[in-house]
Amino acid sequence: ETIELGGKRRLREQVADLTVSAAEAQFEDTMRRGLAEVKRLYFDALLARYNVEVANENRQTFEQLLQFNLARFQEGAIPEGDLIKVRLERMKFDSAVRQTELNLRQATIRLLEKLGESTYARQAVAGDLNFRLVNLNLDSLRQLALNERPDVRAAAREIDAANERLALERARA
């Protein structure tokens, strides 16, 4: 039988248990970060979809303005130079619409890439931007972070494991 003095066996077991516990908390934090990244990419894609809708609405409104100015030009109320300026501005709106569509496509691809999709076929992003008010009390947010965040729990477990390793080394000495 092995005879150990100073409670070294118990200390080794505690160090091992705390090391496993810290690794589990780190894994949980990695999962939390991955999920947060997917959520961020989803909301980026959703926002890009809304931007496309707004750009299309703006383009339609500007198209109506162009038709109005064309009618005014045909009646002789405005010079041709003003009509040309309005047509040039419409080209800017067309460019803005194409840019927002490109941004939507890029955001969707980034989201699909993060989800592990290998095909980037054109897919629509479903959902709505719904916001709710949250409590922004600093003390309650700090307490929530201390209780809920896995990275904080992992750090606390690392500290406990380090203290137990220190106690084990003292017992070995």
Side-chain angles (χ1 to χ4, degrees), residues 135-146:
N135 182 10
L136 295 179
N137 181 1
L138 184 61
D139 292 330
S140 66
L141 289 175
R142 182 176 291 127
Q143 190 61 38
L144 181 67
L146 289 174

Side-chain angles (χ1 to χ4, degrees), residues 61-79:
T61 302
F62 202 80
E63 186 65 35
Q64 291 172 354
L65 179 65
L66 177 64
Q67 295 301 322
F68 174 72
N69 280 330
L70 183 61
R72 287 180 62 205
F73 170 71
Q74 290 171 347
E75 292 175 0
I78 62 170

Side-chain angles (χ1 to χ4, degrees), residues 73 78-86:
F73 170 71
I78 62 170
E80 186 178 10
D82 288 348
L83 182 62
I84 292 171
K85 288 178 186 176
V86 172

Side-chain angles (χ1 to χ4, degrees), residues 23-169:
E24 288 171 349
Q26 288 171 349
F27 175 75
E28 191 179 333
D29 182 49
T30 302
M31 294 299 290
R32 177 190 65 87
R33 287 182 191 188
L35 183 61
E37 180 69 12
V38 168
K39 285 180 182 180
R40 186 190 64 77
L41 290 171
Y42 168 74
F43 283 114
D44 285 349
L46 194 59
L47 184 60
R49 189 192 80 198
Y50 276 100
N51 286 340
V52 167
E53 292 171 6
V54 168
N56 282 323
E57 287 176 17
N58 288 343
R59 189 190 179 289
Q60 288 173 354
T61 302
F62 202 80
E63 186 65 35
Q64 291 172 354
L65 179 65
L66 177 64
Q67 295 301 322
F68 174 72
N69 280 330
L70 183 61
R72 287 180 62 205
F73 170 71
Q74 290 171 347
E75 292 175 0
I78 62 170
E80 186 178 10
D82 288 348
L83 182 62
I84 292 171
K85 288 178 186 176
V86 172
R87 284 184 177 156
L88 288 173
E89 287 297 319
R90 183 185 64 180
M91 291 175 64
K92 288 181 184 178
F93 275 96
D94 291 341
S95 175
V97 168
R98 282 191 291 279
Q99 183 64 40
T100 57
E101 288 172 348
L102 177 64
N103 290 341
L104 172 60
R105 183 79 175 124
Q106 289 173 339
T108 305
I109 288 172
R110 282 191 298 270
L111 176 61
L112 291 173
E113 187 178 80
K114 186 67 175 180
L115 292 173
E117 291 288 325
S118 60
T119 59
Y120 300 120
R122 190 171 286 265
Q123 296 182 358
V125 178
D128 293 320
L129 288 175
N130 295 326
F131 297 102
R132 61 181 149 79
L133 295 175
V134 294
N135 182 10
L136 295 179
N137 181 1
L138 184 61
D139 292 330
S140 66
L141 289 175
R142 182 176 291 127
Q143 190 61 38
L144 181 67
L146 289 174
N147 293 335
E148 300 291 326
R149 294 215 17 209
D151 56 337
V152 174
R153 286 196 303 263
R157 291 175 185 169
E158 286 286 338
I159 291 171
D160 292 341
N163 287 335
E164 289 299 321
R165 280 193 288 277
L166 180 63
L168 175 62
E169 292 304 319

